[in-house]
Coordinates of all heavy atoms in Angstrom, one line a residue:
M1 N 87.2 25.5 -1.7 CA 86.9 24.1 -2.0 C 87.5 23.7 -3.2 O 87.3 24.2 -4.3 CB 85.3 24.0 -2.1 CG 84.6 24.1 -0.8 SD 82.8 23.7 -1.0 CE 82.3 25.0 -2.0
D2 N 88.3 22.7 -3.1 CA 89.0 22.1 -4.3 C 88.2 20.9 -4.8 O 87.4 20.3 -4.0 CB 90.4 21.6 -3.9 CG 91.3 22.8 -3.6 OD1 91.0 23.9 -4.0 OD2 92.3 22.5 -2.9
N3 N 88.3 20.6 -6.0 CA 87.8 19.4 -6.6 C 86.2 19.4 -6.5 O 85.7 18.4 -6.0 CB 88.4 18.2 -6.0 CG 89.9 18.1 -6.2 OD1 90.3 18.5 -7.2 ND2 90.6 17.7 -5.2
I4 N 85.6 20.4 -7.0 CA 84.1 20.4 -7.0 C 83.7 19.6 -8.2 O 84.2 19.7 -9.3 CB 83.6 21.9 -7.1 CG1 84.0 22.7 -5.8 CG2 82.1 21.9 -7.3 CD1 83.6 24.1 -5.9
I5 N 82.7 18.8 -7.9 CA 82.1 17.9 -8.9 C 80.8 18.6 -9.4 O 79.9 18.8 -8.6 CB 81.8 16.5 -8.4 CG1 83.0 15.8 -7.8 CG2 81.1 15.6 -9.5 CD1 84.1 15.5 -8.7
D6 N 80.8 18.9 -10.7 CA 79.6 19.5 -11.3 C 78.7 18.4 -11.8 O 79.1 17.5 -12.5 CB 79.9 20.4 -12.5 CG 80.6 21.7 -12.2 OD1 80.2 22.3 -11.2 OD2 81.7 22.0 -12.8
I7 N 77.4 18.4 -11.3 CA 76.5 17.4 -11.7 C 75.3 18.0 -12.5 O 74.8 19.1 -12.1 CB 76.0 16.5 -10.5 CG1 75.3 17.3 -9.5 CG2 77.2 15.8 -9.9 CD1 74.6 16.5 -8.4
P8 N 74.8 17.4 -13.5 CA 73.8 17.9 -14.3 C 72.4 17.7 -13.7 O 72.2 16.8 -12.8 CB 73.9 17.1 -15.6 CG 74.4 15.8 -15.2 CD 75.4 16.1 -14.1
K9 N 71.4 18.4 -14.2 CA 70.0 18.2 -13.8 C 69.6 16.8 -14.5 O 70.0 16.5 -15.6 CB 69.2 19.3 -14.4 CG 67.8 19.3 -13.8 CD 67.0 20.6 -14.2 CE 65.6 20.6 -13.7 NZ 64.9 21.8 -14.0
Y10 N 68.8 16.1 -13.8 CA 68.3 14.8 -14.2 C 67.6 15.0 -15.6 O 66.8 15.9 -15.8 CB 67.3 14.2 -13.2 CG 66.8 12.8 -13.5 CD1 67.5 11.8 -13.0 CD2 65.7 12.6 -14.2 CE1 67.1 10.5 -13.2 CE2 65.3 11.3 -14.5 CZ 66.0 10.3 -14.0 OH 65.5 9.0 -14.2
D11 N 67.9 14.1 -16.5 CA 67.3 14.2 -17.9 C 66.4 12.9 -18.0 O 66.9 11.8 -18.2 CB 68.4 14.2 -18.9 CG 67.9 14.3 -20.3 OD1 66.6 14.1 -20.5 OD2 68.7 14.6 -21.2
P12 N 65.1 13.1 -18.0 CA 64.2 12.0 -18.1 C 64.3 11.2 -19.4 O 63.8 10.1 -19.5 CB 62.8 12.6 -18.0 CG 62.9 14.0 -18.3 CD 64.4 14.4 -17.9
K13 N 65.0 11.8 -20.4 CA 65.2 11.1 -21.7 C 66.4 10.1 -21.6 O 66.5 9.2 -22.5 CB 65.5 12.1 -22.8 CG 64.3 13.0 -23.1 CD 64.6 14.0 -24.1 CE 63.5 15.0 -24.3 NZ 63.8 16.1 -25.2
K14 N 67.2 10.2 -20.6 CA 68.3 9.3 -20.4 C 67.9 8.1 -19.4 O 67.0 8.3 -18.6 CB 69.5 10.0 -19.8 CG 70.1 11.0 -20.8 CD 71.3 11.7 -20.2 CE 71.9 12.7 -21.1 NZ 73.1 13.3 -20.5
S15 N 68.7 7.1 -19.5 CA 68.5 6.0 -18.5 C 68.9 6.4 -17.1 O 69.7 7.4 -17.0 CB 69.3 4.7 -19.0 OG 70.7 5.0 -18.8
H16 N 68.5 5.6 -16.2 CA 68.8 5.9 -14.8 C 70.4 5.9 -14.6 O 70.9 6.8 -13.9 CB 68.2 5.0 -13.8 CG 68.3 5.4 -12.4 ND1 67.7 6.5 -11.8 CD2 69.0 4.8 -11.4 CE1 68.0 6.6 -10.6 NE2 68.8 5.6 -10.3
S17 N 71.0 4.9 -15.2 CA 72.5 4.8 -15.0 C 73.2 6.0 -15.7 O 74.2 6.5 -15.2 CB 73.0 3.5 -15.6 OG 72.8 3.4 -16.9
E18 N 72.6 6.5 -16.8 CA 73.2 7.7 -17.4 C 73.0 9.0 -16.6 O 73.7 10.0 -16.8 CB 72.6 7.9 -18.8 CG 73.0 6.9 -19.8 CD 72.3 7.1 -21.2 OE1 71.1 7.1 -21.2 OE2 73.0 7.2 -22.2
N19 N 72.1 9.0 -15.7 CA 71.7 10.1 -14.9 C 72.4 10.1 -13.5 O 72.1 10.8 -12.6 CB 70.2 10.2 -14.7 CG 69.5 11.0 -15.7 OD1 69.9 12.1 -16.0 ND2 68.6 10.3 -16.4
S20 N 73.4 9.2 -13.3 CA 74.1 9.1 -12.0 C 75.5 9.6 -12.2 O 76.3 9.0 -12.9 CB 74.1 7.6 -11.6 OG 72.8 7.2 -11.4
P21 N 75.9 10.6 -11.5 CA 75.1 11.5 -10.6 C 74.3 12.6 -11.3 O 74.7 13.0 -12.4 CB 76.1 12.1 -9.7 CG 77.4 12.2 -10.5 CD 77.3 11.0 -11.5
S22 N 73.3 13.1 -10.6 CA 72.5 14.2 -11.2 C 71.7 14.8 -10.0 O 71.8 14.3 -8.9 CB 71.7 13.8 -12.3 OG 70.7 12.8 -11.9
W23 N 70.8 15.7 -10.4 CA 69.9 16.3 -9.4 C 68.5 16.5 -10.0 O 68.4 16.6 -11.2 CB 70.4 17.6 -8.8 CG 70.6 18.7 -9.8 CD1 71.7 18.9 -10.6 CD2 69.7 19.8 -10.1 NE1 71.5 20.0 -11.4 CE2 70.3 20.6 -11.1 CE3 68.4 20.1 -9.6 CZ2 69.7 21.7 -11.6 CZ3 67.8 21.3 -10.1 CH2 68.4 22.1 -11.0
I24 N 67.5 16.3 -9.1 CA 66.1 16.4 -9.5 C 65.5 17.6 -8.7 O 65.5 17.6 -7.5 CB 65.3 15.1 -9.2 CG1 65.9 14.0 -10.0 CG2 63.8 15.3 -9.5 CD1 65.4 12.6 -9.6
E25 N 64.9 18.5 -9.5 CA 64.2 19.7 -8.9 C 62.9 19.3 -8.2 O 62.1 18.5 -8.8 CB 64.0 20.7 -9.9 CG 63.6 22.0 -9.4 CD 63.7 23.1 -10.4 OE1 63.9 22.8 -11.6 OE2 63.5 24.3 -10.1
E26 N 62.7 19.8 -7.1 CA 61.4 19.6 -6.4 C 60.8 21.0 -6.1 O 61.5 21.8 -5.4 CB 61.6 18.8 -5.1 CG 61.9 17.4 -5.3 CD 61.4 16.5 -4.2 OE1 61.8 16.8 -3.0 OE2 60.7 15.6 -4.4
D27 N 59.6 21.2 -6.5 CA 59.0 22.6 -6.3 C 59.0 23.0 -4.8 O 58.5 22.3 -3.9 CB 57.5 22.6 -6.8 CG 57.4 22.5 -8.3 OD1 58.4 22.8 -8.9 OD2 56.4 22.0 -8.7
G28 N 59.7 24.1 -4.5 CA 59.7 24.7 -3.2 C 60.6 23.9 -2.2 O 60.5 24.3 -1.0
K29 N 61.3 22.9 -2.6 CA 62.2 22.2 -1.7 C 63.6 22.1 -2.3 O 63.8 22.4 -3.4 CB 61.6 20.7 -1.6 CG 60.2 20.6 -1.0 CD 59.8 19.2 -0.9 CE 58.4 19.1 -0.4 NZ 58.0 17.7 -0.3
K30 N 64.5 21.6 -1.5 CA 65.8 21.3 -2.0 C 65.8 20.2 -2.9 O 64.9 19.3 -2.8 CB 66.7 21.0 -0.8 CG 67.0 22.3 0.1 CD 68.0 21.9 1.2 CE 68.2 23.2 2.1 NZ 69.0 22.8 3.2
P31 N 66.6 20.2 -3.9 CA 66.6 19.1 -4.9 C 67.0 17.7 -4.3 O 67.7 17.7 -3.2 CB 67.6 19.5 -5.9 CG 68.5 20.4 -5.2 CD 67.7 21.1 -4.2
I32 N 66.6 16.7 -4.9 CA 67.1 15.3 -4.6 C 68.4 15.1 -5.4 O 68.5 15.4 -6.6 CB 66.1 14.3 -5.0 CG1 64.8 14.5 -4.1 CG2 66.6 12.9 -4.9 CD1 63.7 13.6 -4.5
I33 N 69.4 14.6 -4.8 CA 70.7 14.2 -5.4 C 70.6 12.7 -5.8 O 70.3 11.9 -4.9 CB 71.9 14.5 -4.5 CG1 71.9 16.0 -4.1 CG2 73.2 14.1 -5.2 CD1 72.1 17.0 -5.2
I34 N 70.8 12.5 -7.0 CA 71.0 11.1 -7.5 C 72.5 10.8 -7.3 O 73.3 11.4 -8.1 CB 70.5 10.8 -8.9 CG1 69.1 11.3 -9.1 CG2 70.7 9.4 -9.3 CD1 68.1 10.5 -8.2
C35 N 72.9 10.0 -6.4 CA 74.3 9.7 -6.1 C 74.9 9.0 -7.3 O 74.2 8.4 -8.1 CB 74.3 8.8 -4.9 SG 76.0 8.4 -4.3
K36 N 76.2 8.9 -7.3 CA 76.9 8.2 -8.4 C 76.6 6.7 -8.4 O 76.7 6.0 -9.4 CB 78.4 8.4 -8.3 CG 79.1 7.6 -7.1 CD 80.6 7.6 -7.3 CE 81.2 6.6 -6.3 NZ 82.5 6.3 -6.7
C37 N 76.1 6.2 -7.2 CA 75.7 4.8 -7.1 C 74.2 4.6 -7.7 O 73.8 3.5 -7.8 CB 75.8 4.3 -5.7 SG 74.6 5.0 -4.6
G38 N 73.5 5.7 -8.0 CA 72.2 5.6 -8.6 C 71.1 5.8 -7.6 O 69.9 5.8 -8.0
R39 N 71.4 5.9 -6.3 CA 70.3 6.1 -5.3 C 70.0 7.5 -5.0 O 70.9 8.4 -5.0 CB 70.7 5.4 -4.0 CG 70.7 3.9 -4.2 CD 71.2 3.1 -2.9 NE 71.1 1.7 -3.1 CZ 72.1 1.0 -3.7 NH1 73.2 1.6 -4.2 NH2 72.0 -0.3 -3.9
G40 N 68.7 7.9 -4.9 CA 68.3 9.2 -4.6 C 68.5 9.5 -3.1 O 68.2 8.7 -2.2
T41 N 69.0 10.7 -2.8 CA 69.3 11.1 -1.4 C 68.8 12.6 -1.2 O 68.8 13.4 -2.2 CB 70.8 11.1 -1.1 OG1 71.5 11.9 -1.9 CG2 71.3 9.6 -1.2
V42 N 68.4 12.9 0.0 CA 68.0 14.3 0.3 C 69.2 15.0 0.9 O 70.1 14.4 1.4 CB 66.8 14.3 1.3 CG1 65.6 13.7 0.7 CG2 67.2 13.6 2.6
I43 N 69.2 16.3 0.7 CA 70.3 17.2 1.3 C 69.7 18.2 2.2 O 70.0 19.4 2.1 CB 71.1 17.8 0.1 CG1 70.2 18.6 -0.8 CG2 71.9 16.7 -0.6 CD1 71.0 19.4 -1.8
D44 N 68.9 17.8 3.2 CA 68.2 18.7 4.1 C 69.2 19.5 5.0 O 68.9 20.6 5.4 CB 67.3 17.9 5.0 CG 66.1 17.4 4.3 OD1 65.7 18.0 3.2 OD2 65.5 16.4 4.8
N45 N 70.4 18.9 5.3 CA 71.3 19.6 6.1 C 72.4 20.4 5.4 O 73.4 20.7 5.9 CB 72.0 18.5 7.0 CG 71.1 17.9 8.0 OD1 70.1 18.5 8.4 ND2 71.3 16.6 8.2
H46 N 72.1 20.7 4.1 CA 73.0 21.4 3.3 C 72.5 22.8 2.9 O 71.3 23.0 2.9 CB 73.3 20.6 2.0 CG 74.1 19.3 2.3 ND1 73.5 18.2 2.8 CD2 75.4 19.0 2.1 CE1 74.4 17.3 3.0 NE2 75.5 17.7 2.5
T47 N 73.4 23.6 2.5 CA 73.0 25.0 1.9 C 73.3 25.0 0.4 O 74.3 24.5 0.0 CB 73.8 26.1 2.6 OG1 73.6 26.0 4.0 CG2 73.5 27.4 2.0
L48 N 72.3 25.5 -0.3 CA 72.5 25.7 -1.8 C 72.8 27.2 -2.0 O 72.0 28.0 -1.6 CB 71.2 25.3 -2.5 CG 71.1 23.8 -2.7 CD1 69.8 23.3 -2.6 CD2 71.7 23.5 -4.1
H49 N 73.8 27.4 -2.8 CA 74.2 28.8 -3.1 C 73.7 29.2 -4.5 O 73.3 28.3 -5.3 CB 75.7 28.9 -3.0 CG 76.2 28.6 -1.7 ND1 76.5 29.6 -0.7 CD2 76.5 27.5 -1.1 CE1 76.9 29.0 0.4 NE2 76.9 27.7 0.2
K50 N 73.6 30.5 -4.8 CA 73.1 30.9 -6.1 C 73.8 30.3 -7.3 O 73.2 30.1 -8.3 CB 73.1 32.4 -6.2 CG 72.2 33.1 -5.2 CD 72.3 34.6 -5.4 CE 71.4 35.4 -4.4 NZ 71.5 36.8 -4.6
D51 N 75.1 30.0 -7.1 CA 75.9 29.4 -8.2 C 75.7 27.9 -8.3 O 76.4 27.3 -9.1 CB 77.3 29.9 -8.1 CG 78.0 29.3 -6.9 OD1 77.4 28.6 -6.1 OD2 79.3 29.5 -6.8
G52 N 74.9 27.3 -7.4 CA 74.7 25.9 -7.5 C 75.6 25.1 -6.5 O 75.4 23.9 -6.4
R53 N 76.5 25.8 -5.8 CA 77.4 25.0 -4.9 C 76.5 24.5 -3.7 O 75.6 25.2 -3.3 CB 78.5 25.9 -4.3 CG 79.6 26.2 -5.2 CD 80.6 27.1 -4.6 NE 80.0 28.4 -4.3 CZ 79.9 28.9 -3.0 NH1 80.4 28.2 -2.0 NH2 79.4 30.0 -2.8
V54 N 76.9 23.3 -3.3 CA 76.2 22.7 -2.2 C 77.3 22.6 -1.0 O 78.4 22.1 -1.2 CB 75.8 21.2 -2.5 CG1 75.2 20.5 -1.3 CG2 74.8 21.2 -3.7
T55 N 76.9 23.2 0.1 CA 77.8 23.1 1.3 C 77.0 22.6 2.4 O 75.8 22.9 2.5 CB 78.4 24.5 1.6 OG1 77.3 25.5 1.8 CG2 79.3 25.0 0.5
A56 N 77.5 21.9 3.3 CA 78.8 21.3 3.4 C 79.0 20.2 2.3 O 78.1 20.0 1.4 CB 79.0 20.7 4.8
S57 N 80.0 19.4 2.4 CA 80.3 18.4 1.4 C 79.2 17.4 1.4 O 78.5 17.2 2.4 CB 81.6 17.7 1.7 OG 81.6 17.1 3.0
Y58 N 79.0 16.7 0.3 CA 78.0 15.7 0.2 C 78.6 14.3 0.5 O 79.7 14.0 0.0 CB 77.5 15.6 -1.3 CG 76.6 14.5 -1.6 CD1 75.2 14.5 -1.3 CD2 77.1 13.3 -2.2 CE1 74.4 13.4 -1.6 CE2 76.3 12.2 -2.5 CZ 74.9 12.3 -2.2 OH 74.1 11.2 -2.4
Y59 N 78.0 13.6 1.4 CA 78.6 12.3 1.8 C 77.4 11.3 1.9 O 76.5 11.4 2.7 CB 79.2 12.4 3.2 CG 79.8 11.2 3.7 CD1 80.5 10.3 2.9 CD2 79.7 10.9 5.0 CE1 81.1 9.1 3.4 CE2 80.3 9.7 5.6 CZ 81.0 8.8 4.7 OH 81.6 7.7 5.2
H60 N 77.5 10.3 1.0 CA 76.5 9.2 1.0 C 77.1 8.1 1.9 O 77.7 7.1 1.5 CB 76.3 8.7 -0.4 CG 75.1 7.8 -0.5 ND1 74.9 7.0 -1.6 CD2 74.0 7.5 0.3 CE1 73.7 6.3 -1.5 NE2 73.2 6.6 -0.3
S61 N 77.0 8.3 3.2 CA 77.6 7.5 4.2 C 77.2 6.1 4.2 O 76.1 5.7 3.9 CB 77.2 8.1 5.6 OG 77.7 7.3 6.6
E62 N 78.2 5.2 4.4 CA 78.0 3.8 4.5 C 77.0 3.4 5.6 O 76.4 2.4 5.6 CB 79.3 3.0 4.6 CG 80.2 3.1 3.5 CD 81.3 4.2 3.7 OE1 81.0 5.2 4.5 OE2 82.3 4.2 3.1
S63 N 76.9 4.3 6.6 CA 76.0 4.0 7.7 C 74.5 4.2 7.3 O 73.6 3.8 8.0 CB 76.3 4.9 8.9 OG 76.1 6.2 8.6
M64 N 74.3 4.9 6.1 CA 72.9 5.1 5.6 C 72.5 3.7 5.0 O 73.3 3.0 4.5 CB 72.9 6.2 4.5 CG 73.2 7.5 5.0 SD 73.3 8.6 3.5 CE 72.4 10.0 4.1
P65 N 71.2 3.5 4.9 CA 70.8 2.3 4.1 C 71.3 2.4 2.7 O 71.0 3.3 2.0 CB 69.2 2.4 4.2 CG 68.9 3.2 5.4 CD 70.1 4.2 5.5
L66 N 72.1 1.4 2.3 CA 72.6 1.3 1.0 C 73.6 2.4 0.6 O 73.8 2.7 -0.6 CB 71.5 1.1 -0.1 CG 70.5 0.0 0.2 CD1 69.4 0.1 -0.8 CD2 71.2 -1.4 0.1
G67 N 74.2 3.1 1.6 CA 75.1 4.1 1.3 C 76.4 3.6 0.6 O 76.8 2.5 0.9
C68 N 77.0 4.4 -0.3 CA 78.1 3.9 -1.0 C 79.5 4.5 -0.6 O 80.5 4.1 -1.1 CB 77.9 4.1 -2.5 SG 77.9 5.9 -3.0
G69 N 79.4 5.5 0.2 CA 80.7 6.2 0.7 C 81.2 7.3 -0.2 O 82.3 7.8 0.1
W70 N 80.4 7.7 -1.2 CA 80.8 8.8 -2.1 C 80.9 10.1 -1.3 O 79.8 10.5 -0.7 CB 79.9 8.9 -3.3 CG 80.4 9.8 -4.4 CD1 81.7 9.8 -4.9 CD2 79.6 10.7 -5.2 NE1 81.7 10.6 -6.0 CE2 80.5 11.2 -6.2 CE3 78.3 11.1 -5.2 CZ2 80.1 12.1 -7.1 CZ3 77.9 12.0 -6.1 CH2 78.8 12.5 -7.1
H71 N 82.0 10.8 -1.2 CA 82.2 12.0 -0.4 C 82.9 13.0 -1.3 O 84.0 12.9 -1.6 CB 83.0 11.7 0.8 CG 83.0 12.8 1.8 ND1 83.9 12.8 2.9 CD2 82.3 13.9 1.9 CE1 83.7 13.9 3.6 NE2 82.7 14.6 3.0
V72 N 82.1 14.1 -1.7 CA 82.6 15.1 -2.6 C 82.0 16.4 -2.3 O 81.0 16.5 -1.6 CB 82.3 14.7 -4.1 CG1 83.0 13.5 -4.5 CG2 80.8 14.5 -4.3
F73 N 82.5 17.5 -2.9 CA 81.9 18.8 -2.9 C 81.1 18.8 -4.3 O 81.7 18.5 -5.3 CB 82.9 19.9 -2.9 CG 83.5 20.0 -1.5 CD1 84.8 19.6 -1.3 CD2 82.9 20.7 -0.5 CE1 85.4 19.7 0.0 CE2 83.5 20.8 0.8 CZ 84.7 20.3 1.0
L74 N 79.9 19.3 -4.2 CA 79.0 19.3 -5.4 C 78.7 20.7 -5.8 O 78.6 21.6 -5.0 CB 77.7 18.6 -5.2 CG 77.8 17.1 -4.9 CD1 76.4 16.5 -4.6 CD2 78.3 16.3 -6.1
R75 N 78.4 20.9 -7.1 CA 77.8 22.1 -7.7 C 76.8 21.6 -8.7 O 77.0 20.7 -9.5 CB 78.8 23.0 -8.4 CG 78.2 24.2 -9.0 CD 79.2 25.3 -9.5 NE 80.3 24.7 -10.1 CZ 81.6 25.0 -9.9 NH1 81.9 25.9 -8.9 NH2 82.6 24.5 -10.5
L76 N 75.5 22.1 -8.6 CA 74.5 21.7 -9.5 C 74.5 22.5 -10.7 O 74.3 23.8 -10.7 CB 73.1 21.9 -8.7 CG 73.0 21.3 -7.3 CD1 71.6 21.5 -6.8 CD2 73.4 19.8 -7.3
K77 N 74.7 21.9 -11.9 CA 74.7 22.6 -13.1 C 73.3 23.2 -13.4 O 72.3 22.5 -13.1 CB 75.1 21.7 -14.3 CG 76.6 21.3 -14.3 CD 76.8 20.5 -15.6 CE 78.3 20.0 -15.7 NZ 78.5 19.2 -16.8
N78 N 73.3 24.4 -14.0 CA 72.0 25.0 -14.3 C 71.1 25.2 -13.2 O 69.9 25.3 -13.4 CB 71.4 24.2 -15.5 CG 72.2 24.1 -16.7 OD1 72.8 25.1 -17.1 ND2 72.3 22.9 -17.2
W79 N 71.6 25.4 -12.0 CA 70.8 25.7 -10.8 C 70.3 27.1 -10.9 O 71.1 28.0 -11.1 CB 71.6 25.5 -9.5 CG 70.8 25.9 -8.3 CD1 71.1 27.0 -7.6 CD2 69.7 25.3 -7.7 NE1 70.2 27.1 -6.5 CE2 69.3 26.0 -6.6 CE3 69.0 24.2 -8.0 CZ2 68.3 25.7 -5.8 CZ3 67.9 23.8 -7.2 CH2 67.6 24.6 -6.1
N80 N 69.0 27.4 -10.8 CA 68.5 28.7 -10.8 C 67.5 28.9 -9.7 O 66.7 29.9 -9.7 CB 67.8 29.1 -12.2 CG 66.7 28.2 -12.5 OD1 66.3 27.3 -11.7 ND2 66.1 28.3 -13.7
G81 N 67.6 28.1 -8.6 CA 66.7 28.2 -7.5 C 67.1 29.2 -6.4 O 66.5 29.3 -5.4
G82 N 68.2 29.9 -6.7 CA 68.7 30.9 -5.7 C 69.3 30.2 -4.5 O 69.7 29.0 -4.5
Y83 N 69.5 31.0 -3.4 CA 70.1 30.6 -2.2 C 69.1 29.9 -1.3 O 68.0 30.5 -1.1 CB 70.7 31.8 -1.5 CG 71.4 31.5 -0.2 CD1 72.7 31.1 -0.1 CD2 70.7 31.7 1.0 CE1 73.3 30.8 1.1 CE2 71.3 31.5 2.2 CZ 72.6 31.0 2.3 OH 73.2 30.8 3.5
I84 N 69.3 28.7 -0.8 CA 68.4 28.0 0.1 C 69.2 27.5 1.2 O 70.2 26.7 1.0 CB 67.7 26.8 -0.6 CG1 66.9 27.3 -1.9 CG2 66.8 26.1 0.4 CD1 66.3 26.2 -2.6
K85 N 68.9 27.9 2.4 CA 69.6 27.4 3.6 C 68.8 26.2 4.2 O 67.7 26.1 4.2 CB 69.8 28.5 4.6 CG 70.6 28.0 5.8 CD 71.1 29.2 6.5 CE 71.9 28.7 7.7 NZ 73.2 29.2 7.8

């Protein structure tokens, strides 16, 4: 995978716009991705790897409500949740 975008964990001390893109941890679930457009999205159809890589690619499809079309490969910085399919 070329051109992986590393995104940080959401920082509640920063503004919402400063946290786009980022990820929010949810206990026992896959994290929520804050898209570059600022909207939260779920990644139920994705796999999370131990190193934080998200597969398949992340796509905030325009066919979704308020989707912006951002299509990238992601890696979650400081991910320690292990492998989740």
Side-chain angles (χ1 to χ4, degrees):
M1 284 187 293
D2 293 338
N3 301 321
I4 295 174
I5 305 295
D6 289 315
I7 61 171
K9 189 172 182 178
Y10 187 89
D11 183 347
K13 295 176 186 172
K14 293 182 177 179
S15 71
H16 189 71
S17 63
E18 290 175 305
N19 273 304
S20 301
S22 63
W23 61 277
I24 299 173
E25 192 166 7
E26 291 208 302
D27 291 336
K29 297 180 183 178
K30 290 182 182 175
I32 294 172
I33 302 297
I34 304 300
C35 184
K36 74 169 191 162
C37 70
R39 292 179 177 82
T41 60
V42 295
I43 54 170
D44 290 338
N45 296 325
H46 293 74
T47 300
L48 279 142
H49 300 266
K50 289 180 183 181
D51 67 355
R53 282 179 301 118
V54 176
T55 56
S57 62
Y58 172 83
Y59 180 40
H60 193 194
S61 174
E62 295 95 336
S63 66
M64 296 172 135
L66 305 174
C68 70
W70 194 43
H71 190 193
V72 294
F73 289 102
L74 294 177
R75 181 171 37 230
L76 311 182
K77 287 184 181 178
N78 301 315
W79 172 252
N80 61 4
Y83 179 84
I84 302 176
K85 185 160 179 129

